[in-house]
Amino acid sequence: MAERKKTYINSSNKHAVREFLIQRFQFESVVGLAGPDINEYLTYLESKGCKQFEIYENNSQVALQQLSKIRSKSKIALICGDILKANPDKENVLFDLDFCASVRFLTDHIAKFKKNFIMTFSYRIGLKETIDTFFKARKEKVIGSVDYSSPTPHTIYKTKQGNYLFIKYWDTSAMCCFAKI
């Protein structure tokens, strides 16, 4: 079995995409999935002015490891459980949902969060199925799209419920993000 990634510190593509996306949001707190290096995650978001976090982790052993390693002075609630437990209606919150799994297995999660989110997925199943499954889970139909090449290649998808920024990149595998803008 492959070893879980321990850090994103050397993931330059992921960092560039995160920086490109995060600047589109205003938020005071984050509800999210911290990933393999909780301190790098917290430090980055604190540098953007965030001082309050609600972090979810499904794996109790990983949650205990994260808890023992936290060096931040911010207000942090570390919750062992599925992020589906989170309140999606909170105000002034960025929902930073770095799933790193296929959309096939996350349709309930995709449907739950309606605003101020960045969702990250693996697209090993292919781009078309990833995009189609995302919008099907949200019960939305794409009515238009525009591709941009600068500053970072991305697509804006338009639906009757609003616009989504879509961006793909390579980290340890083919990854993509949808952001409700």
Side-chain angles (χ1 to χ4, degrees), residues 56 81-88 108-110 112-113:
Y56 286 80
D82 195 325
I83 199 157
L84 281 173
K85 295 178 184 177
N87 176 356
D108 290 342
H109 298 77
I110 293 166
K112 180 169 182 147
F113 298 93

mmCIF file of all heavy atoms in Angstrom, residues 56 81-88 108-110 112-113:
data_model
loop_
_atom_site.group_PDB
_atom_site.id
_atom_site.type_symbol
_atom_site.label_atom_id
_atom_site.label_comp_id
_atom_site.label_asym_id
_atom_site.label_seq_id
_atom_site.Cartn_x
_atom_site.Cartn_y
_atom_site.Cartn_z
ATOM 1 N N TYR A 56 -11.905 19.206 10.156
ATOM 2 C CA TYR A 56 -12.472 17.863 10.235
ATOM 3 C C TYR A 56 -11.441 16.837 9.770
ATOM 4 O O TYR A 56 -10.675 17.094 8.841
ATOM 5 C CB TYR A 56 -13.723 17.755 9.353
ATOM 6 C CG TYR A 56 -14.898 18.456 9.967
ATOM 7 C CD1 TYR A 56 -15.048 19.829 9.871
ATOM 8 C CD2 TYR A 56 -15.865 17.749 10.670
ATOM 9 C CE1 TYR A 56 -16.114 20.482 10.454
ATOM 10 C CE2 TYR A 56 -16.946 18.386 11.252
ATOM 11 C CZ TYR A 56 -17.060 19.762 11.141
ATOM 12 O OH TYR A 56 -18.127 20.409 11.725
ATOM 13 N N GLY A 81 -14.460 13.307 12.467
ATOM 14 C CA GLY A 81 -15.704 12.933 11.809
ATOM 15 C C GLY A 81 -15.768 13.506 10.411
ATOM 16 O O GLY A 81 -14.871 14.216 9.957
ATOM 17 N N ASP A 82 -16.855 13.201 9.744
ATOM 18 C CA ASP A 82 -17.081 13.620 8.363
ATOM 19 C C ASP A 82 -17.465 15.091 8.317
ATOM 20 O O ASP A 82 -18.281 15.560 9.117
ATOM 21 C CB ASP A 82 -18.208 12.768 7.765
ATOM 22 C CG ASP A 82 -18.296 12.859 6.259
ATOM 23 O OD1 ASP A 82 -18.022 13.945 5.696
ATOM 24 O OD2 ASP A 82 -18.638 11.843 5.637
ATOM 25 N N ILE A 83 -16.921 15.807 7.366
ATOM 26 C CA ILE A 83 -17.226 17.233 7.218
ATOM 27 C C ILE A 83 -18.694 17.464 6.842
ATOM 28 O O ILE A 83 -19.180 18.582 6.903
ATOM 29 C CB ILE A 83 -16.252 17.911 6.235
ATOM 30 C CG1 ILE A 83 -16.270 19.426 6.453
ATOM 31 C CG2 ILE A 83 -16.562 17.514 4.795
ATOM 32 C CD1 ILE A 83 -15.052 20.145 5.993
ATOM 33 N N LEU A 84 -19.412 16.401 6.525
ATOM 34 C CA LEU A 84 -20.861 16.534 6.318
ATOM 35 C C LEU A 84 -21.557 17.020 7.590
ATOM 36 O O LEU A 84 -22.672 17.537 7.518
ATOM 37 C CB LEU A 84 -21.482 15.203 5.877
ATOM 38 C CG LEU A 84 -21.310 14.836 4.411
ATOM 39 C CD1 LEU A 84 -21.821 13.431 4.143
ATOM 40 C CD2 LEU A 84 -22.010 15.843 3.505
ATOM 41 N N LYS A 85 -20.905 16.893 8.737
ATOM 42 C CA LYS A 85 -21.465 17.388 10.002
ATOM 43 C C LYS A 85 -21.403 18.914 10.094
ATOM 44 O O LYS A 85 -22.053 19.508 10.944
ATOM 45 C CB LYS A 85 -20.710 16.792 11.188
ATOM 46 C CG LYS A 85 -20.852 15.296 11.337
ATOM 47 C CD LYS A 85 -20.015 14.817 12.518
ATOM 48 C CE LYS A 85 -20.030 13.324 12.668
ATOM 49 N NZ LYS A 85 -19.151 12.878 13.770
ATOM 50 N N ALA A 86 -20.596 19.542 9.273
ATOM 51 C CA ALA A 86 -20.404 20.999 9.335
ATOM 52 C C ALA A 86 -21.667 21.738 8.907
ATOM 53 O O ALA A 86 -22.432 21.259 8.072
ATOM 54 C CB ALA A 86 -19.233 21.408 8.440
ATOM 55 N N ASN A 87 -21.852 22.912 9.487
ATOM 56 C CA ASN A 87 -22.969 23.781 9.121
ATOM 57 C C ASN A 87 -22.588 24.554 7.851
ATOM 58 O O ASN A 87 -21.714 25.414 7.903
ATOM 59 C CB ASN A 87 -23.263 24.741 10.267
ATOM 60 C CG ASN A 87 -24.344 25.742 9.941
ATOM 61 O OD1 ASN A 87 -24.861 25.799 8.830
ATOM 62 N ND2 ASN A 87 -24.699 26.555 10.921
ATOM 63 N N PRO A 88 -23.255 24.291 6.720
ATOM 64 C CA PRO A 88 -22.878 24.948 5.469
ATOM 65 C C PRO A 88 -23.400 26.380 5.339
ATOM 66 O O PRO A 88 -23.100 27.057 4.361
ATOM 67 C CB PRO A 88 -23.527 24.053 4.405
ATOM 68 C CG PRO A 88 -24.750 23.545 5.085
ATOM 69 C CD PRO A 88 -24.348 23.338 6.532
ATOM 70 N N ASP A 108 -22.675 13.567 -1.930
ATOM 71 C CA ASP A 108 -23.378 14.210 -0.808
ATOM 72 C C ASP A 108 -22.637 15.462 -0.361
ATOM 73 O O ASP A 108 -23.259 16.484 -0.033
ATOM 74 C CB ASP A 108 -23.519 13.256 0.378
ATOM 75 C CG ASP A 108 -24.492 12.119 0.114
ATOM 76 O OD1 ASP A 108 -25.314 12.233 -0.821
ATOM 77 O OD2 ASP A 108 -24.429 11.107 0.847
ATOM 78 N N HIS A 109 -21.316 15.393 -0.343
ATOM 79 C CA HIS A 109 -20.493 16.537 0.052
ATOM 80 C C HIS A 109 -20.621 17.664 -0.974
ATOM 81 O O HIS A 109 -20.729 18.835 -0.608
ATOM 82 C CB HIS A 109 -19.030 16.115 0.182
ATOM 83 C CG HIS A 109 -18.798 15.083 1.225
ATOM 84 N ND1 HIS A 109 -19.105 13.754 1.028
ATOM 85 C CD2 HIS A 109 -18.295 15.167 2.478
ATOM 86 C CE1 HIS A 109 -18.795 13.070 2.111
ATOM 87 N NE2 HIS A 109 -18.300 13.896 3.012
ATOM 88 N N ILE A 110 -20.600 17.298 -2.228
ATOM 89 C CA ILE A 110 -20.711 18.295 -3.300
ATOM 90 C C ILE A 110 -22.043 19.031 -3.199
ATOM 91 O O ILE A 110 -22.117 20.246 -3.370
ATOM 92 C CB ILE A 110 -20.557 17.622 -4.684
ATOM 93 C CG1 ILE A 110 -19.133 17.083 -4.853
ATOM 94 C CG2 ILE A 110 -20.914 18.583 -5.810
ATOM 95 C CD1 ILE A 110 -18.966 16.126 -6.026
ATOM 96 N N LYS A 112 -23.949 19.481 -0.517
ATOM 97 C CA LYS A 112 -24.198 20.159 0.762
ATOM 98 C C LYS A 112 -23.749 21.615 0.791
ATOM 99 O O LYS A 112 -24.457 22.475 1.294
ATOM 100 C CB LYS A 112 -23.513 19.402 1.901
ATOM 101 C CG LYS A 112 -23.747 20.085 3.232
ATOM 102 C CD LYS A 112 -23.334 19.252 4.393
ATOM 103 C CE LYS A 112 -23.663 20.010 5.665
ATOM 104 N NZ LYS A 112 -24.043 19.148 6.747
ATOM 105 N N PHE A 113 -22.562 21.895 0.298
ATOM 106 C CA PHE A 113 -21.983 23.230 0.443
ATOM 107 C C PHE A 113 -22.383 24.106 -0.730
ATOM 108 O O PHE A 113 -22.148 23.768 -1.885
ATOM 109 C CB PHE A 113 -20.466 23.115 0.602
ATOM 110 C CG PHE A 113 -20.099 22.348 1.836
ATOM 111 C CD1 PHE A 113 -19.874 20.982 1.775
ATOM 112 C CD2 PHE A 113 -20.027 22.980 3.058
ATOM 113 C CE1 PHE A 113 -19.570 20.256 2.917
ATOM 114 C CE2 PHE A 113 -19.730 22.270 4.210
ATOM 115 C CZ PHE A 113 -19.500 20.904 4.143
#
